[in-house]
Amino acid sequence: MDTNKSPFSSELEPCGIRVDESGDWFYNGNRIFRTQILEELYARLDQLPTGQFILSDFSGPCLLDVADTPFVVSRVDLQRGKSGSETILIRLKNISQPEALDPDTLAAGKSNVLYCRVAQGRFWARFSRPAYYQLAELVHEDDTGQGFYIGLNGNRHYIAVIE
């Protein structure tokens, strides 16, 4: 690969790695399942302005084949602090550390697939079906017809709709 290419070049070589809709990673058709390897891949992940995902490796960036998004929310937990504050923690498939959900980034896409921003807002994550149902327990419908929201710490966080 030509290491002088811009990381935003459309001429980037494919990595040979595919991420399916459920967040499973494959290299040459074989599933990657070791946590250490997956976390290293996530650490090298970036996204181009075109929406394409790239991985940085030792010979430069390469294109990742992603069905939807490499991040999948696998679990949702409501945490209540001693002071009564509420935080929603999400677990991402293949990543060991949970992160706090930014409820203002929730958005429903085609077929009501739910997404949120993760990694300090850098990427979209798709909710798995179990995580979707866990979060649905916290969702309320606005009686004025403005949509659906999550009530957290006395605030309403509306779920956006992506067209």
Side-chain angles (χ1 to χ4, degrees):
M1 176 189 294
D2 181 358
T3 57
N4 294 324
K5 288 181 185 172
S6 163
F8 301 109
S9 170
S10 62
E11 299 175 18
L12 291 172
E13 298 292 326
C15 299
I17 298 175
R18 179 178 63 84
V19 183
D20 69 13
E21 267 188 359
S22 64
D24 290 323
W25 291 60
F26 297 86
Y27 178 69
N28 291 333
N30 297 306
R31 186 163 178 239
I32 303 169
F33 57 88
R34 293 190 59 196
T35 304
Q36 302 91 328
I37 294 171
L38 289 163
E39 287 189 349
E40 180 64 27
L41 292 171
Y42 280 109
R44 295 174 177 268
L45 186 66
D46 205 351
Q47 192 169 16
L48 300 176
T50 61
Q52 295 173 295
F53 291 93
I54 60 171
L55 285 175
S56 297
D57 64 15
F58 299 109
S59 60
C62 60
L63 287 173
L64 187 64
D65 179 10
V66 180
D68 188 2
T69 175
F71 295 90
V72 173
V73 178
S74 61
R75 182 168 179 81
V76 174
D77 292 299
L78 177 63
Q79 301 288 313
R80 289 192 171 87
K82 293 178 185 176
S83 65
S85 65
E86 299 170 315
T87 303
I88 297 173
L89 289 180
I90 56 174
R91 291 208 175 261
L92 299 171
K93 185 173 188 171
N94 304 317
I95 297 177
S96 59
Q97 294 299 313
E99 68 176 77
L101 170 70
D102 178 352
D104 292 323
T105 68
L106 287 168
K110 290 190 290 187
S111 302
N112 291 320
V113 173
L114 193 61
Y115 296 88
C116 68
R117 300 295 287 187
V118 295
Q120 289 125 16
R122 290 182 56 215
F123 303 102
W124 284 106
R126 175 189 179 107
F127 279 73
S128 67
R129 190 170 305 227
Y132 177 94
Y133 288 121
Q134 290 169 338
L135 188 70
E137 294 178 17
L138 306 172
V139 174
H140 306 279
E141 185 172 5
D142 189 307
D143 55 358
T144 65
Q146 292 183 356
F148 295 91
Y149 68 91
I150 291 179
L152 200 60
N153 298 313
N155 297 311
R156 288 185 177 189
H157 302 274
Y158 283 88
I159 300 171
V161 177
I162 303 170
E163 293 298 325

